[in-house]
Amino acid sequence: MSAADDRRFMAAALAIGRQGLGRTSPNPSVGAVVVAPGTDGPVIVGLARTADGGRPHAEPIALDAAGARAAGATMYVTLEPCSHHGKTPPCADAAIRAGIRRAVVAIEDPNPLVAGVGVARLLEAGIEVDVGLGAAEARRDLAGHISRMTRGRPHMCLKLAVSADGAIGRRGEGQIAISGPASRARAHLLRAECDAIAVGVGTILADDPALTCRLPGMTACSPLRVVFDSAARTPPTARLFADIATVPVLVVVGEGADSARTAALAAAGADILVVPRDGAHVDLSAALVALAQRGITRVLVEGGAGLADAMVAADLIDEVQWIDAPTRIGPGGTLPIAGRGLAALAERFEIIQVETIGDDRWTHLWRRECSQAS
Ligand SMILES: NC(=O)c1ccc[n+]([C@@H]2O[C@H](COP(=O)([O-])OP(=O)(O)OC[C@H]3O[C@@H](n4cnc5c(N)ncnc54)[C@H](OP(=O)(O)O)[C@@H]3O)[C@@H](O)[C@H]2O)c1
């Protein structure tokens, strides 16, 4: 297998792994590709990602698909195969049993139950192991799992659509279309790739959004909707509750929130999470720890200004999707990040991509320590 072969098969493993983002929590969406010698060069004989819901893991599915051709094959996998007996048998053992000759692993698993033991198990069985190919991409794709394992909170991505005059809306005016239709479709895809979408109660009161993924054929990919609502002000008649039977809602309230209002939200079908307060509002760090404990690995924060400002000020944002649109809001607009705009993020975040989508410019930023770690 040449270095170029290694790169393209790891790229295939990363691509298939990415397809499960938002579908596999609490487990990471791992990609695995099994490659055997063919008459015209190496061929993929098994390819899989972690199944919806987190199991089975990618490796046993790919190895099963390969069948007898796994013997002597190379397995490319975006995360170290697990070594512990969880709800499924260890993937390292499945690879050994299948008789693979070599494993190419993008990153070690930060899960303390694995953390190098999976690789050690393969090596002990005489399998050649290379770690590190595709590590930068794998760290981004698996950022939710890494964050949950190493920091006990989900990976947090802030998305904001900002007008040409720096606003994300205007109080009292309800939902204003700032970005164009192509951007809105992309934003719905981002929703599907997360385990939860979060907004502040101000957005519920102002916009009454549904916060579902409404791309054709993808409505079932709508993640949990989370409202940060210290005093349980979310109306039980909010649009969020229209499809609560299929897309759950979690309202994060502060200790001491009005019990009648909280009960009304629970009666409307919401799950209620009570967390301590930090001053007037719910303690965001405590709320994120509680979300991680519920298996949430990736959260898309969709505003509004109050929640975005608080998350940035508390240094809880790891990734930003900043959409600059040509629309003008005019006087009285709501200005995010205390009115300082994208430039305010330059110190802590690095721009990794700028794209034009329709008439809008998407700037994708990662927190420096996360992107350097990759
Ligand atoms: N263009 C976009 O991308 C976009 C996206 C979403 C919204 N918007 C716009 O944003 C505007 C709404 O902004 P907003 O600031 O009123 O709403 P918001 O950020 O959605 O909600 C603010 C509320 O969040 C609650 N909250 C809970 N925990 C908090 C904490 N730890 N720190 C701070 N706040 C916390 C606070 O109320 P409690 O203390 O009662 O909890 C606060 O009043 C609307 O005009 C909407 O259209 C634009």
Side-chain angles (χ1 to χ4, degrees), residues 324-351:
D324 281 303
T327 325
R328 296 193 82 80
I329 292 286
T334 306
L335 306 176
I337 323 294
R340 291 177 299 133
L342 188 53
L345 303 175
E347 214 174 86
R348 262 184 281 159
F349 294 84
E350 112 179 277
I351 296 175

Side-chain angles (χ1 to χ4, degrees), residues 161 168 171 200 202-203 207 228 230 233 281-282 284 302 304-307 310:
I168 63 163
R171 283 209 169 80
T203 295
D207 298 355
F228 285 86
S230 315
R233 290 186 289 146
H281 306 297
V282 296
L284 294 177
E302 294 215 25
L307 187 66

Side-chain angles (χ1 to χ4, degrees), residues 239-253:
R239 211 173 140 205
L240 283 179
F241 296 104
D243 41 21
I244 195 154
T246 48
V247 191
V249 173
L250 175 71
V251 183
V252 183
V253 301

Side-chain angles (χ1 to χ4, degrees), residues 159-163 167-176 178-179 199-204 206-207 227-233 252 277-278 280-284 302-311 323 334:
K159 178 196 75 85
L160 284 177
V162 185
S163 68
I168 63 163
R170 188 159 44 208
R171 283 209 169 80
E173 281 205 11
Q175 212 159 10
I176 301 177
I178 293 179
S179 53
V199 293
V201 63
T203 295
I204 301 297
D207 298 355
V227 185
F228 285 86
D229 181 8
S230 315
R233 290 186 289 146
V252 183
R277 285 171 191 264
D278 178 11
H281 306 297
V282 296
D283 181 329
L284 294 177
E302 294 215 25
L307 187 66
D309 286 4
M311 290 266 184
I323 308 157
T334 306

